[in-house]
Amino acid sequence: MGYDADIQAAAEHFSKLLQEQKIRIEKMKADKEFVDYAKLDKIIIGVCGGDGIGPAITHEAQRILEFLLKEEVAKGKVEFKVIDGLTIENRVKANKAIPDDVLEELKQCHVILKGPTTTPRAGDPWPNIESANVAMRKELDLFANVRPVKVPEQGIDWTFYRENTEGSYAVGSKGVHVNDDLAIDFTVTTQEGSERIARAAFEYAKKNGKTRVTCVTKANVVKTTDGKFLKICQEVAKDYPGIELDDWYIDIMTAKLVDPKRRTQFQVVVLPNLYGDIITDEAAEFQGGVGTAGSANIGKRYAMFEAIHGSAPRMVTEGRAQYADPCSIIRAGVMLLSHIGYQKQADQLERALDKCMYEEKKLTITGRDTGCTGAEFADYIMETIQAL
């Protein structure tokens, strides 16, 4: 009898989740148009440092963006808005992934430059609040996580389109402990959510002269949700003649990224949330690790740009935050500039980063006092931009 009661309680919990997803789907259907930054009188760039090393590295990226956009700031066409309050301490105090006042500030911006945030896990001294990243993606409907990886000398030029609001992360903190013997989490795949990420990947391929989009799933085993994602990608592909769609299972795809012959054939990759999280970290290793890669989170109304690494609280505890590598979030700054229409400045920053990180290497960041500080490296980048 006790087991039946446990199952009934779990079923009621699941019913509530289904109602939440129904509401979310209706919102997705109602939101049709992307914001046109060229038509805005002023673009507001929110700068949200997060916690751990986040504030330190985000400050350096902000300095560089302000340097590149100083004329636009002087004209009143661009405004930087610093948003505090997304620290783990403040989130725990509010018992929310994003405190209400912080969320309201974020919604006043058009694009956001965000530092890493700490996500509590089992054994941590923090309560089980949702990831701030996951919450922000859901609250601002940032459905496309875009991560480019380039290593020209190895023939690598990949752009990953990871679905950002569904999959295993959609209700990641709302699983059910049915009883001591059974725990269940949920995976969410919707028609609207899958179609828009697939179309975003194909549109990018079309606009950038790419000839192949690769869909990555485990549809042979996870037949319902992954199967739906793959089928929708196949349907969307019919609207893009001249662009080939191939599909790979996540396990073999992970292996083939390290295959020197096969990996050069991948161009644009579209994949569900969890697989995208894993495989983009692997991909980043080819260009020097997660500290070298930036990430864009794109929606129709908002966009957020971030480093792809964590908050590294140990560096703060050990007094090394000033030596944290800001290159990942500066790479995100390149994507931010491009997204809001400042392609010239984006190209300048990307070229300067390549020179400073890979070519000249006049300064080296080690994460300790054996290397330069993040501020010194940011100064090096700005000096390089001036010399271009």
mmCIF file of all heavy atoms in Angstrom, residues 86-131:
data_model
loop_
_atom_site.group_PDB
_atom_site.id
_atom_site.type_symbol
_atom_site.label_atom_id
_atom_site.label_comp_id
_atom_site.label_asym_id
_atom_site.label_seq_id
_atom_site.Cartn_x
_atom_site.Cartn_y
_atom_site.Cartn_z
ATOM 1 N N LEU A 86 24.380 37.886 -8.406
ATOM 2 C CA LEU A 86 24.219 36.508 -8.866
ATOM 3 C C LEU A 86 25.240 35.582 -8.199
ATOM 4 O O LEU A 86 25.583 34.530 -8.730
ATOM 5 C CB LEU A 86 24.351 36.435 -10.394
ATOM 6 C CG LEU A 86 23.631 35.258 -11.067
ATOM 7 C CD1 LEU A 86 22.148 35.292 -10.796
ATOM 8 C CD2 LEU A 86 23.892 35.257 -12.576
ATOM 9 N N THR A 87 25.718 35.991 -7.041
ATOM 10 C CA THR A 87 26.645 35.148 -6.285
ATOM 11 C C THR A 87 25.891 33.992 -5.642
ATOM 12 O O THR A 87 24.681 34.054 -5.429
ATOM 13 C CB THR A 87 27.340 35.957 -5.177
ATOM 14 O OG1 THR A 87 26.324 36.400 -4.256
ATOM 15 C CG2 THR A 87 28.072 37.156 -5.749
ATOM 16 N N ILE A 88 26.607 32.941 -5.313
ATOM 17 C CA ILE A 88 25.979 31.783 -4.667
ATOM 18 C C ILE A 88 25.385 32.187 -3.323
ATOM 19 O O ILE A 88 24.304 31.725 -2.940
ATOM 20 C CB ILE A 88 26.986 30.619 -4.518
ATOM 21 C CG1 ILE A 88 26.313 29.389 -3.907
ATOM 22 C CG2 ILE A 88 28.200 31.030 -3.705
ATOM 23 C CD1 ILE A 88 25.228 28.788 -4.753
ATOM 24 N N GLU A 89 26.058 33.084 -2.599
ATOM 25 C CA GLU A 89 25.545 33.514 -1.294
ATOM 26 C C GLU A 89 24.203 34.232 -1.435
ATOM 27 O O GLU A 89 23.260 33.966 -0.680
ATOM 28 C CB GLU A 89 26.559 34.441 -0.609
ATOM 29 C CG GLU A 89 27.853 33.762 -0.201
ATOM 30 C CD GLU A 89 28.861 33.664 -1.336
ATOM 31 O OE1 GLU A 89 28.580 34.206 -2.450
ATOM 32 O OE2 GLU A 89 29.921 33.044 -1.135
ATOM 33 N N ASN A 90 24.099 35.120 -2.411
ATOM 34 C CA ASN A 90 22.859 35.868 -2.609
ATOM 35 C C ASN A 90 21.742 34.971 -3.125
ATOM 36 O O ASN A 90 20.573 35.132 -2.748
ATOM 37 C CB ASN A 90 23.102 37.018 -3.589
ATOM 38 C CG ASN A 90 22.048 38.106 -3.476
ATOM 39 O OD1 ASN A 90 21.636 38.463 -2.381
ATOM 40 N ND2 ASN A 90 21.614 38.634 -4.607
ATOM 41 N N ARG A 91 22.101 34.020 -3.971
ATOM 42 C CA ARG A 91 21.090 33.102 -4.504
ATOM 43 C C ARG A 91 20.560 32.177 -3.411
ATOM 44 O O ARG A 91 19.364 31.875 -3.366
ATOM 45 C CB ARG A 91 21.693 32.297 -5.657
ATOM 46 C CG ARG A 91 21.907 33.158 -6.897
ATOM 47 C CD ARG A 91 23.018 32.654 -7.792
ATOM 48 N NE ARG A 91 22.859 31.256 -8.105
ATOM 49 C CZ ARG A 91 23.884 30.423 -8.285
ATOM 50 N NH1 ARG A 91 25.134 30.861 -8.158
ATOM 51 N NH2 ARG A 91 23.649 29.164 -8.581
ATOM 52 N N VAL A 92 21.440 31.731 -2.538
ATOM 53 C CA VAL A 92 21.007 30.894 -1.412
ATOM 54 C C VAL A 92 20.121 31.700 -0.466
ATOM 55 O O VAL A 92 19.092 31.202 0.020
ATOM 56 C CB VAL A 92 22.229 30.316 -0.665
ATOM 57 C CG1 VAL A 92 21.823 29.727 0.671
ATOM 58 C CG2 VAL A 92 22.917 29.259 -1.522
ATOM 59 N N LYS A 93 20.503 32.944 -0.201
ATOM 60 C CA LYS A 93 19.707 33.800 0.679
ATOM 61 C C LYS A 93 18.286 33.968 0.147
ATOM 62 O O LYS A 93 17.307 33.941 0.900
ATOM 63 C CB LYS A 93 20.385 35.159 0.826
ATOM 64 C CG LYS A 93 19.677 36.108 1.776
ATOM 65 C CD LYS A 93 20.435 37.444 1.877
ATOM 66 C CE LYS A 93 19.718 38.412 2.794
ATOM 67 N NZ LYS A 93 20.450 39.719 2.874
ATOM 68 N N ALA A 94 18.166 34.121 -1.179
ATOM 69 C CA ALA A 94 16.849 34.279 -1.796
ATOM 70 C C ALA A 94 16.174 32.939 -2.051
ATOM 71 O O ALA A 94 14.987 32.898 -2.385
ATOM 72 C CB ALA A 94 16.990 35.045 -3.114
ATOM 73 N N ASN A 95 16.956 31.868 -1.902
ATOM 74 C CA ASN A 95 16.474 30.503 -2.190
ATOM 75 C C ASN A 95 15.944 30.392 -3.619
ATOM 76 O O ASN A 95 14.928 29.755 -3.888
ATOM 77 C CB ASN A 95 15.395 30.070 -1.196
ATOM 78 C CG ASN A 95 15.182 28.556 -1.236
ATOM 79 O OD1 ASN A 95 16.106 27.795 -1.537
ATOM 80 N ND2 ASN A 95 13.965 28.109 -0.950
ATOM 81 N N LYS A 96 16.677 31.046 -4.543
ATOM 82 C CA LYS A 96 16.313 31.002 -5.956
ATOM 83 C C LYS A 96 17.574 30.953 -6.807
ATOM 84 O O LYS A 96 18.614 31.509 -6.432
ATOM 85 C CB LYS A 96 15.493 32.237 -6.351
ATOM 86 C CG LYS A 96 14.065 32.233 -5.830
ATOM 87 C CD LYS A 96 13.260 33.334 -6.492
ATOM 88 C CE LYS A 96 11.789 33.219 -6.122
ATOM 89 N NZ LYS A 96 10.966 34.240 -6.817
ATOM 90 N N ALA A 97 17.452 30.300 -7.957
ATOM 91 C CA ALA A 97 18.590 30.250 -8.878
ATOM 92 C C ALA A 97 18.989 31.652 -9.319
ATOM 93 O O ALA A 97 20.176 31.965 -9.461
ATOM 94 C CB ALA A 97 18.242 29.391 -10.087
ATOM 95 N N ILE A 98 17.990 32.500 -9.553
ATOM 96 C CA ILE A 98 18.215 33.919 -9.860
ATOM 97 C C ILE A 98 17.257 34.731 -9.001
ATOM 98 O O ILE A 98 16.034 34.629 -9.167
ATOM 99 C CB ILE A 98 17.955 34.244 -11.343
ATOM 100 C CG1 ILE A 98 18.801 33.372 -12.262
ATOM 101 C CG2 ILE A 98 18.234 35.717 -11.626
ATOM 102 C CD1 ILE A 98 18.523 33.574 -13.744
ATOM 103 N N PRO A 99 17.761 35.530 -8.066
ATOM 104 C CA PRO A 99 16.866 36.358 -7.246
ATOM 105 C C PRO A 99 16.001 37.273 -8.106
ATOM 106 O O PRO A 99 16.433 37.708 -9.189
ATOM 107 C CB PRO A 99 17.849 37.167 -6.378
ATOM 108 C CG PRO A 99 19.074 36.314 -6.310
ATOM 109 C CD PRO A 99 19.167 35.648 -7.652
ATOM 110 N N ASP A 100 14.796 37.565 -7.649
ATOM 111 C CA ASP A 100 13.840 38.330 -8.449
ATOM 112 C C ASP A 100 14.390 39.678 -8.895
ATOM 113 O O ASP A 100 14.188 40.099 -10.043
ATOM 114 C CB ASP A 100 12.543 38.543 -7.659
ATOM 115 C CG ASP A 100 11.776 37.243 -7.454
ATOM 116 O OD1 ASP A 100 12.034 36.273 -8.202
ATOM 117 O OD2 ASP A 100 10.929 37.192 -6.529
ATOM 118 N N ASP A 101 15.071 40.392 -7.988
ATOM 119 C CA ASP A 101 15.570 41.720 -8.352
ATOM 120 C C ASP A 101 16.665 41.636 -9.405
ATOM 121 O O ASP A 101 16.764 42.487 -10.298
ATOM 122 C CB ASP A 101 16.059 42.474 -7.113
ATOM 123 C CG ASP A 101 17.173 41.739 -6.368
ATOM 124 O OD1 ASP A 101 17.253 40.491 -6.471
ATOM 125 O OD2 ASP A 101 17.964 42.410 -5.670
ATOM 126 N N VAL A 102 17.484 40.573 -9.329
ATOM 127 C CA VAL A 102 18.542 40.387 -10.330
ATOM 128 C C VAL A 102 17.920 40.065 -11.686
ATOM 129 O O VAL A 102 18.352 40.583 -12.729
ATOM 130 C CB VAL A 102 19.511 39.271 -9.895
ATOM 131 C CG1 VAL A 102 20.566 39.021 -10.969
ATOM 132 C CG2 VAL A 102 20.184 39.644 -8.576
ATOM 133 N N LEU A 103 16.908 39.221 -11.687
ATOM 134 C CA LEU A 103 16.244 38.867 -12.938
ATOM 135 C C LEU A 103 15.633 40.092 -13.605
ATOM 136 O O LEU A 103 15.717 40.254 -14.838
ATOM 137 C CB LEU A 103 15.169 37.811 -12.677
ATOM 138 C CG LEU A 103 14.407 37.294 -13.910
ATOM 139 C CD1 LEU A 103 15.358 36.672 -14.913
ATOM 140 C CD2 LEU A 103 13.341 36.290 -13.481
ATOM 141 N N GLU A 104 15.036 40.975 -12.810
ATOM 142 C CA GLU A 104 14.461 42.194 -13.378
ATOM 143 C C GLU A 104 15.535 43.071 -14.010
ATOM 144 O O GLU A 104 15.315 43.683 -15.065
ATOM 145 C CB GLU A 104 13.686 42.961 -12.310
ATOM 146 C CG GLU A 104 12.356 42.332 -11.958
ATOM 147 C CD GLU A 104 11.483 42.101 -13.184
ATOM 148 O OE1 GLU A 104 11.284 43.065 -13.967
ATOM 149 O OE2 GLU A 104 11.002 40.969 -13.378
ATOM 150 N N GLU A 105 16.698 43.154 -13.367
ATOM 151 C CA GLU A 105 17.803 43.920 -13.948
ATOM 152 C C GLU A 105 18.275 43.303 -15.252
ATOM 153 O O GLU A 105 18.570 44.009 -16.230
ATOM 154 C CB GLU A 105 18.962 43.998 -12.954
ATOM 155 C CG GLU A 105 18.750 44.936 -11.789
ATOM 156 C CD GLU A 105 20.031 45.145 -11.008
ATOM 157 O OE1 GLU A 105 20.800 46.062 -11.365
ATOM 158 O OE2 GLU A 105 20.291 44.388 -10.059
ATOM 159 N N LEU A 106 18.368 41.979 -15.293
ATOM 160 C CA LEU A 106 18.791 41.292 -16.519
ATOM 161 C C LEU A 106 17.825 41.583 -17.662
ATOM 162 O O LEU A 106 18.240 41.781 -18.813
ATOM 163 C CB LEU A 106 18.874 39.785 -16.271
ATOM 164 C CG LEU A 106 19.987 39.309 -15.332
ATOM 165 C CD1 LEU A 106 19.785 37.838 -14.976
ATOM 166 C CD2 LEU A 106 21.355 39.523 -15.955
ATOM 167 N N LYS A 107 16.537 41.619 -17.348
ATOM 168 C CA LYS A 107 15.529 41.834 -18.387
ATOM 169 C C LYS A 107 15.515 43.263 -18.917
ATOM 170 O O LYS A 107 14.886 43.529 -19.948
ATOM 171 C CB LYS A 107 14.137 41.453 -17.846
ATOM 172 C CG LYS A 107 13.955 39.957 -17.675
ATOM 173 C CD LYS A 107 12.553 39.611 -17.180
ATOM 174 C CE LYS A 107 12.343 38.109 -17.133
ATOM 175 N NZ LYS A 107 10.980 37.746 -16.640
ATOM 176 N N GLN A 108 16.217 44.169 -18.242
ATOM 177 C CA GLN A 108 16.337 45.536 -18.732
ATOM 178 C C GLN A 108 17.448 45.681 -19.766
ATOM 179 O O GLN A 108 17.611 46.746 -20.365
ATOM 180 C CB GLN A 108 16.589 46.481 -17.562
ATOM 181 C CG GLN A 108 15.427 46.603 -16.587
ATOM 182 C CD GLN A 108 15.794 47.348 -15.315
ATOM 183 O OE1 GLN A 108 16.809 48.057 -15.268
ATOM 184 N NE2 GLN A 108 14.992 47.205 -14.277
ATOM 185 N N CYS A 109 18.197 44.615 -19.971
ATOM 186 C CA CYS A 109 19.315 44.631 -20.923
ATOM 187 C C CYS A 109 18.908 43.957 -22.230
ATOM 188 O O CYS A 109 17.945 43.203 -22.286
ATOM 189 C CB CYS A 109 20.523 43.910 -20.328
ATOM 190 S SG CYS A 109 21.047 44.555 -18.718
ATOM 191 N N HIS A 110 19.683 44.231 -23.272
ATOM 192 C CA HIS A 110 19.471 43.549 -24.549
ATOM 193 C C HIS A 110 20.382 42.331 -24.664
ATOM 194 O O HIS A 110 19.964 41.274 -25.151
ATOM 195 C CB HIS A 110 19.730 44.510 -25.703
ATOM 196 C CG HIS A 110 18.801 45.675 -25.725
ATOM 197 N ND1 HIS A 110 19.170 46.936 -25.313
ATOM 198 C CD2 HIS A 110 17.495 45.761 -26.083
ATOM 199 C CE1 HIS A 110 18.147 47.759 -25.423
ATOM 200 N NE2 HIS A 110 17.115 47.077 -25.890
ATOM 201 N N VAL A 111 21.626 42.503 -24.258
ATOM 202 C CA VAL A 111 22.577 41.394 -24.242
ATOM 203 C C VAL A 111 23.302 41.407 -22.904
ATOM 204 O O VAL A 111 23.408 42.446 -22.247
ATOM 205 C CB VAL A 111 23.598 41.478 -25.408
ATOM 206 C CG1 VAL A 111 22.918 41.282 -26.741
ATOM 207 C CG2 VAL A 111 24.360 42.808 -25.376
ATOM 208 N N ILE A 112 23.811 40.247 -22.506
ATOM 209 C CA ILE A 112 24.433 40.105 -21.187
ATOM 210 C C ILE A 112 25.777 39.415 -21.337
ATOM 211 O O ILE A 112 25.887 38.386 -22.023
ATOM 212 C CB ILE A 112 23.520 39.267 -20.253
ATOM 213 C CG1 ILE A 112 22.174 39.972 -20.064
ATOM 214 C CG2 ILE A 112 24.194 39.032 -18.902
ATOM 215 C CD1 ILE A 112 21.048 39.037 -19.709
ATOM 216 N N LEU A 113 26.788 39.981 -20.715
ATOM 217 C CA LEU A 113 28.094 39.337 -20.585
ATOM 218 C C LEU A 113 28.144 38.761 -19.175
ATOM 219 O O LEU A 113 28.092 39.504 -18.196
ATOM 220 C CB LEU A 113 29.216 40.351 -20.784
ATOM 221 C CG LEU A 113 30.638 39.789 -20.775
ATOM 222 C CD1 LEU A 113 30.906 38.961 -22.029
ATOM 223 C CD2 LEU A 113 31.667 40.915 -20.662
ATOM 224 N N LYS A 114 28.230 37.443 -19.067
ATOM 225 C CA LYS A 114 28.050 36.796 -17.763
ATOM 226 C C LYS A 114 29.256 35.958 -17.367
ATOM 227 O O LYS A 114 29.747 35.139 -18.141
ATOM 228 C CB LYS A 114 26.802 35.903 -17.804
ATOM 229 C CG LYS A 114 26.545 35.147 -16.518
ATOM 230 C CD LYS A 114 25.483 34.090 -16.711
ATOM 231 C CE LYS A 114 25.590 33.035 -15.629
ATOM 232 N NZ LYS A 114 26.851 32.274 -15.703
ATOM 233 N N GLY A 115 29.705 36.157 -16.131
ATOM 234 C CA GLY A 115 30.752 35.329 -15.571
ATOM 235 C C GLY A 115 30.205 34.011 -15.070
ATOM 236 O O GLY A 115 28.991 33.838 -14.925
ATOM 237 N N PRO A 116 31.074 33.048 -14.781
ATOM 238 C CA PRO A 116 30.616 31.742 -14.289
ATOM 239 C C PRO A 116 29.976 31.838 -12.910
ATOM 240 O O PRO A 116 30.286 32.738 -12.134
ATOM 241 C CB PRO A 116 31.902 30.905 -14.254
ATOM 242 C CG PRO A 116 33.016 31.900 -14.199
ATOM 243 C CD PRO A 116 32.535 33.110 -14.938
ATOM 244 N N THR A 117 29.084 30.904 -12.629
ATOM 245 C CA THR A 117 28.397 30.847 -11.341
ATOM 246 C C THR A 117 28.513 29.444 -10.757
ATOM 247 O O THR A 117 28.598 28.460 -11.494
ATOM 248 C CB THR A 117 26.907 31.204 -11.494
ATOM 249 O OG1 THR A 117 26.335 30.414 -12.540
ATOM 250 C CG2 THR A 117 26.729 32.676 -11.821
ATOM 251 N N THR A 118 28.510 29.366 -9.447
ATOM 252 C CA THR A 118 28.620 28.078 -8.754
ATOM 253 C C THR A 118 27.267 27.376 -8.728
ATOM 254 O O THR A 118 26.256 27.978 -8.376
ATOM 255 C CB THR A 118 29.108 28.299 -7.307
ATOM 256 O OG1 THR A 118 30.386 28.948 -7.337
ATOM 257 C CG2 THR A 118 29.217 26.973 -6.568
ATOM 258 N N THR A 119 27.254 26.112 -9.117
ATOM 259 C CA THR A 119 26.042 25.296 -9.046
ATOM 260 C C THR A 119 26.219 24.245 -7.953
ATOM 261 O O THR A 119 27.136 23.421 -8.043
ATOM 262 C CB THR A 119 25.761 24.600 -10.384
ATOM 263 O OG1 THR A 119 25.608 25.581 -11.416
ATOM 264 C CG2 THR A 119 24.488 23.763 -10.298
ATOM 265 N N PRO A 120 25.394 24.272 -6.911
ATOM 266 C CA PRO A 120 25.544 23.294 -5.825
ATOM 267 C C PRO A 120 25.370 21.860 -6.325
ATOM 268 O O PRO A 120 24.583 21.590 -7.239
ATOM 269 C CB PRO A 120 24.408 23.669 -4.860
ATOM 270 C CG PRO A 120 24.090 25.084 -5.168
ATOM 271 C CD PRO A 120 24.316 25.232 -6.639
ATOM 272 N N ARG A 121 26.138 20.970 -5.728
ATOM 273 C CA ARG A 121 26.018 19.545 -6.049
ATOM 274 C C ARG A 121 25.973 18.767 -4.739
ATOM 275 O O ARG A 121 26.200 19.328 -3.659
ATOM 276 C CB ARG A 121 27.198 19.084 -6.899
ATOM 277 C CG ARG A 121 28.549 19.284 -6.224
ATOM 278 C CD ARG A 121 29.699 18.902 -7.120
ATOM 279 N NE ARG A 121 30.977 19.108 -6.438
ATOM 280 C CZ ARG A 121 32.163 18.862 -6.986
ATOM 281 N NH1 ARG A 121 32.239 18.414 -8.213
ATOM 282 N NH2 ARG A 121 33.273 19.075 -6.304
ATOM 283 N N ALA A 122 25.683 17.491 -4.848
ATOM 284 C CA ALA A 122 25.595 16.661 -3.645
ATOM 285 C C ALA A 122 26.896 16.739 -2.852
ATOM 286 O O ALA A 122 27.982 16.604 -3.402
ATOM 287 C CB ALA A 122 25.308 15.219 -4.029
ATOM 288 N N GLY A 123 26.790 16.981 -1.541
ATOM 289 C CA GLY A 123 27.960 17.079 -0.682
ATOM 290 C C GLY A 123 28.443 18.496 -0.446
ATOM 291 O O GLY A 123 29.249 18.738 0.458
ATOM 292 N N ASP A 124 27.955 19.459 -1.257
ATOM 293 C CA ASP A 124 28.328 20.857 -1.068
ATOM 294 C C ASP A 124 27.579 21.437 0.141
ATOM 295 O O ASP A 124 26.529 20.932 0.533
ATOM 296 C CB ASP A 124 27.978 21.671 -2.315
ATOM 297 C CG ASP A 124 28.975 21.472 -3.445
ATOM 298 O OD1 ASP A 124 30.007 20.827 -3.192
ATOM 299 O OD2 ASP A 124 28.720 21.962 -4.557
ATOM 300 N N PRO A 125 28.107 22.512 0.716
ATOM 301 C CA PRO A 125 27.437 23.117 1.880
ATOM 302 C C PRO A 125 26.250 23.997 1.500
ATOM 303 O O PRO A 125 25.745 24.729 2.338
ATOM 304 C CB PRO A 125 28.557 23.958 2.511
ATOM 305 C CG PRO A 125 29.433 24.340 1.369
ATOM 306 C CD PRO A 125 29.416 23.156 0.432
ATOM 307 N N TRP A 126 25.818 23.951 0.233
ATOM 308 C CA TRP A 126 24.730 24.796 -0.226
ATOM 309 C C TRP A 126 23.474 23.960 -0.463
ATOM 310 O O TRP A 126 23.561 22.778 -0.794
ATOM 311 C CB TRP A 126 25.112 25.494 -1.548
ATOM 312 C CG TRP A 126 26.421 26.186 -1.518
ATOM 313 C CD1 TRP A 126 27.575 25.799 -2.138
ATOM 314 C CD2 TRP A 126 26.749 27.388 -0.819
ATOM 315 N NE1 TRP A 126 28.584 26.678 -1.881
ATOM 316 C CE2 TRP A 126 28.110 27.677 -1.069
ATOM 317 C CE3 TRP A 126 26.010 28.253 -0.008
ATOM 318 C CZ2 TRP A 126 28.744 28.782 -0.544
ATOM 319 C CZ3 TRP A 126 26.653 29.362 0.522
ATOM 320 C CH2 TRP A 126 27.998 29.616 0.252
ATOM 321 N N PRO A 127 22.290 24.570 -0.357
ATOM 322 C CA PRO A 127 21.057 23.842 -0.657
ATOM 323 C C PRO A 127 20.940 23.553 -2.149
ATOM 324 O O PRO A 127 21.661 24.138 -2.978
ATOM 325 C CB PRO A 127 19.955 24.803 -0.190
ATOM 326 C CG PRO A 127 20.584 26.147 -0.193
ATOM 327 C CD PRO A 127 22.030 25.943 0.138
ATOM 328 N N ASN A 128 20.021 22.684 -2.509
ATOM 329 C CA ASN A 128 19.876 22.210 -3.883
ATOM 330 C C ASN A 128 19.089 23.199 -4.734
ATOM 331 O O ASN A 128 17.977 22.931 -5.175
ATOM 332 C CB ASN A 128 19.187 20.835 -3.897
ATOM 333 C CG ASN A 128 19.076 20.271 -5.305
ATOM 334 O OD1 ASN A 128 19.909 20.552 -6.162
ATOM 335 N ND2 ASN A 128 18.036 19.489 -5.547
ATOM 336 N N ILE A 129 19.672 24.367 -4.980
ATOM 337 C CA ILE A 129 19.016 25.323 -5.874
ATOM 338 C C ILE A 129 19.469 25.052 -7.308
ATOM 339 O O ILE A 129 20.545 24.507 -7.546
ATOM 340 C CB ILE A 129 19.324 26.792 -5.484
ATOM 341 C CG1 ILE A 129 20.834 27.055 -5.459
ATOM 342 C CG2 ILE A 129 18.680 27.132 -4.157
ATOM 343 C CD1 ILE A 129 21.184 28.520 -5.246
ATOM 344 N N GLU A 130 18.634 25.450 -8.240
ATOM 345 C CA GLU A 130 18.900 25.200 -9.652
ATOM 346 C C GLU A 130 20.108 25.992 -10.125
ATOM 347 O O GLU A 130 20.442 27.054 -9.593
ATOM 348 C CB GLU A 130 17.664 25.598 -10.476
ATOM 349 C CG GLU A 130 17.767 25.253 -11.954
ATOM 350 C CD GLU A 130 16.519 25.682 -12.723
ATOM 351 O OE1 GLU A 130 15.909 26.698 -12.347
ATOM 352 O OE2 GLU A 130 16.158 24.998 -13.690
ATOM 353 N N SER A 131 20.764 25.490 -11.162
ATOM 354 C CA SER A 131 21.849 26.204 -11.815
ATOM 355 C C SER A 131 21.364 27.569 -12.292
ATOM 356 O O SER A 131 20.317 27.692 -12.926
ATOM 357 C CB SER A 131 22.352 25.386 -13.013
ATOM 358 O OG SER A 131 23.038 26.204 -13.938
#
